[in-house]
Structures are given as C-alpha cells and as structure tokens.
Amino acid sequence: MSGNGNAAATAVSAEPVTSTLWASGRAVQQLAPGCHPQSLLLARIQTDSVVATLKALYPGLQFEIIAMSTTGDKILDTALSKIGEKSLFTKELEHALEKNEVDLVVHSLKDLPTVLPPGFTIGAICKRENPHDAVVFHPKFVGKTLETLPEKSVVGTSSLRRAAQLQRKFSHLEFRSIRGNLNTRLRKLDEQQEFSAIILATAGLQRMGWHNRVGQILHPEECMYAVGQGALGVEVRAKDQDILDLVGVLHDPETLLRCIAERAFLRHLEGGCSVPVAVHTAMKDGQLYLTGGVWSLDGSDSIQDTMQATIHVPAQHEDGPEDDPQLVGITARNIPRGPQLAAQNLGISLANLLLSKGAKNILDVARQLNDAH
C-alpha cells in the first residue's frame, strides 16, 4: 500500500506474515533548535509507543507505520477555538480508516470529540501519563514561577481553558495565543522576546524527552486539565471485531474509568475547545473523584464542583458483556459494564449539578464572545 505525499505510516498485522494491520498517526515535522536531535515528533512517538506495546503482546504480527497531516496540523495561524471544526485532528485519519487504508489510529485522547462519527470507536485507552499542564520559561526566566514572573509578563497558550483559569489566578500576567506544534512553540519562546513563558501539556514534553524544559507543573488548584489529557486513544472501525479484540488489551482500567467520567461530563455540558471547560479526576480507596469547572473567557466568572462515586477498578482481563454499546465513543468489552456505567453517570451528574448552578449561561456567553472575536 502507498500513502499520499504527506503520509508516513505505522501498521500492525493480526495474521502471521500473510496480512498486515496498518496503524496511523499524525505526520512528523522539523524539530526546533535547542531541542534534542530526535528524528520523530510527538505524534509519531505516541504511535510508535502503542505499536511497540502491541508488537510485544503479539510477536507474530507484522507492523507498518503511516503518518498523515490533518486540518489542525495545517492551520497554524489561527486559534483552534476559532476554526469551528470538531474533528480538526481526526477527520483525515478517520477517512483512511473508513477506506481500509489503515486499521487503527493513535490519537491524543483530548483531540477526540466525545461523539465520534458513525462507524468508529475508541477501542483502547492506554495508561495515562501526567495529565497536568506545565510551564516552560524563556531562558532568562528559568527558575521563576508564574507567581514570580514580572508584572505584565506575556504567557503563551493555545488553550482558552488554560488562559481563563490562569488569568483568574495570576492577574499580573498577560496571556496571548500561540499556535504551532510543540517544536514551533518552543522555538518562538526561545528565539523571540514576545513570551516570558508558555503553557504546554506535561505528558507531551515527557514523551519527547524534554523533562528539563519543565519549569513548573500546575496543580489542579491553579489550572485543571483538559478532558482526556495525558492519555492516548486508539481509534478503530466499530464493526471490526478482530481489531477491537487486538487493541482491547491496551485498555488501562483506571485510566478508562477516569476518562469515561471526564468525557461524559464534557459531552453533557456540550463543551469543546471553543469554551473553557476543565476537569480533575482521582481514584482513591474505591472512590472515583471528579472535579469539573466552566469559566468565562476572561476567567472572572466560574462554577466548579466535585462529586464522587464508589467504583471498583476491575482487573484488566475480566470478561465483560459481549455486545456493549459505546459509552462516550469508547468500546471496552473486556472491562465489566457496571464500573463503566458508574463512571459515565458520575460525569453526567456533575454536569447536571453545574448546569443547575448556571453553567449554561457562562458557556453560552463564552461561545458568543469567542465567535465574535
């Protein structure tokens, strides 16, 4: 099989030698100066990590890799919240899945909408890495924190969620949009004098091996994270039982339940990248804790609350019902249904609580203001 000019690919084969399973991720681009001289960027690193795990689990299978550019990768001069496309980082990849050009696609879970197009499902959610946001400082401000940056320092972020929360917490700072892949944003920070710091996902920096660039990790009291942040999702064709069985072993039960609750919360709020919505989840002593919040664009108005539910985290390979429908776009037949439903109900309950306190008005105003600017 051959890809188009933008494509580079990854694949897996479920049958020994005679057939190959094709896995895809988003395309690689140039590295920024000053970063480790790695030949692969984040999307490819993420895809490779999933394929390496599958290869270890199924040593008789054959793997190939295909990387593709998406709409979100190509539009680098406009804030994501302004583009108005729900599948910025998924549409082209899903098209390849639909045409049987690839058999599975690796995504950052936070890029996947809570309602997938018909015919697709998230067949695996891998163990979550650190979901929190990190601050990367300009070289002259290394050793500082957001709190100790000088008055009127400019902090770059591509996220309305981050900007709204951080403006509320650090009113002495200015927040401006910054687009581009991880490398581009780091280059803008290091080579230009516009930004004193930028906010990035800790997990992405860690996967790239850039632990030394993390100047500060933001705790939930400072900035809650995006739904699904830090986890990888493997998207497949919903009716392809062989591939579903193949990737299903990658489900991490605790990550799965946390992300079901988060995605149910977001879906019930009808949120997305055009409004500031954030979460924090934790499993402790058989309890799943979900904190969620919504903010006005400037952070001046917000509603937050926490709920919990008793949820048993099942063993990874316990058998679940055979014909489970999707929950918030996720299929996990090897995980018992009860805990999944409990996690979904927790997300819906918290969303209803916030809506009863006026969250809809905050979100509606945020959408209108975002669309107007």
Side-chain angles (χ1 to χ4, degrees):
M1 124 171 218
S2 61
N4 60 35
N6 293 329
T10 317
V12 190
S13 85
E15 313 258 340
V17 183
T18 56
S19 74
T20 300
L21 285 179
W22 295 86
S24 179
R26 283 157 54 199
V28 284
Q29 301 173 27
Q30 268 190 321
L31 290 176
C35 298
H36 293 286
Q38 295 160 296
S39 60
L40 301 179
L41 287 196
L42 182 58
R44 178 60 183 261
I45 289 171
Q46 293 177 167
T47 302
D48 284 351
S49 71
V50 170
V51 170
T53 303
L54 287 171
K55 212 169 187 178
L57 290 168
Y58 305 104
L61 303 187
Q62 187 175 334
F63 296 77
E64 300 291 341
I65 294 182
I66 302 173
M68 300 177 180
S69 294
T70 67
T71 302
D73 296 312
K74 296 169 185 173
I75 304 175
L76 298 178
D77 58 351
T78 306
L80 297 179
S81 60
K82 302 287 188 185
I83 300 172
E85 171 60 66
K86 290 185 178 179
S87 54
L88 284 176
F89 296 108
T90 61
K91 186 163 62 175
E92 288 84 356
L93 303 177
E94 287 168 344
H95 185 58
L97 263 179
E98 186 175 35
K99 291 166 60 178
N100 291 308
E101 293 175 352
V102 299
D103 297 296
L104 56 103
V105 178
V106 178
H107 301 277
S108 293
L109 185 61
K110 68 177 182 177
D111 291 336
L112 282 168
T114 56
V115 179
L116 298 184
F120 303 106
T121 189
I122 301 168
I125 296 179
C126 305
K127 186 174 177 61
R128 191 176 216 164
E129 296 190 38
N130 189 327
H132 300 287
D133 290 315
V135 187
V136 180
F137 292 93
H138 187 281
K140 69 181 178 183
F141 291 119
V142 169
K144 294 278 191 183
T145 64
L146 289 182
E147 191 169 12
T148 59
L149 278 176
E151 190 86 14
K152 301 298 183 184
S153 292
V154 176
V155 178
T157 174
S158 58
S159 162
L160 294 178
R161 168 189 61 81
R162 292 168 179 153
Q165 293 181 81
L166 294 174
Q167 282 177 106
R168 185 183 181 95
K169 185 77 175 177
F170 304 101
S171 57
H172 68 293
L173 303 176
E174 294 182 8
F175 293 87
R176 292 182 194 164
S177 178
I178 181 171
R179 279 296 318 278
N181 61 34
L182 207 56
N183 306 277
T184 301
R185 281 180 270 177
L186 287 169
R187 185 170 59 244
K188 288 178 179 178
L189 172 67
D190 292 343
E191 296 181 359
Q192 301 173 14
Q193 299 303 313
E194 180 181 0
F195 299 102
S196 299
I198 58 176
I199 315 296
L200 299 168
T202 301
L205 290 164
Q206 291 179 338
R207 288 174 185 140
M208 291 293 286
W210 297 338
H211 305 76
N212 64 323
R213 294 306 308 262
V214 176
Q216 177 182 3
I217 292 180
L218 297 172
H219 299 294
E221 305 78 38
E222 298 167 312
C223 187
M224 289 194 289
Y225 43 81
V227 165
Q229 185 161 307
L232 298 180
V234 182
E235 188 178 15
V236 300
R237 291 178 290 273
K239 301 292 187 183
D240 196 331
Q241 188 58 53
D242 288 341
I243 304 299
L244 275 167
D245 290 343
L246 181 89
V247 303
V249 298
L250 299 176
H251 273 304
D252 177 70
E254 179 176 323
T255 302
L256 170 72
L257 296 176
R258 289 172 62 188
C259 289
I260 286 176
E262 294 171 17
R263 286 170 63 85
F265 171 72
L266 181 66
R267 180 172 177 173
H268 203 67
L269 284 177
E270 298 182 351
C273 67
S274 63
V275 290
V277 176
V279 295
H280 174 253
T281 50
M283 291 286 309
K284 185 177 181 182
D285 299 329
Q287 298 289 310
L288 174 57
Y289 296 85
L290 170 63
T291 300
V294 301
W295 287 260
S296 59
L297 290 187
D298 64 0
S300 62
D301 199 4
S302 71
I303 299 175
Q304 301 173 54
D305 219 316
T306 300
M307 295 184 75
Q308 67 191 77
T310 300
I311 296 181
H312 162 63
V313 178
Q316 187 170 3
H317 297 296
E318 286 185 30
D319 290 330
E322 287 297 315
D323 298 316
D324 287 351
Q326 296 183 36
L327 292 182
V328 287
I330 301 165
T331 298
R333 289 192 174 96
N334 59 332
I335 304 295
R337 184 72 165 168
Q340 294 186 61
L341 287 171
Q344 177 181 251
N345 291 338
L346 176 61
I348 292 171
S349 296
L350 183 61
N352 281 331
L353 177 60
L354 266 59
L355 289 169
S356 73
K357 294 183 174 184
K360 185 177 188 302
N361 182 61
I362 291 177
L363 294 175
D364 286 346
V365 171
R367 283 193 188 92
Q368 292 166 6
L369 290 174
N370 184 55
D371 292 343
H373 290 84

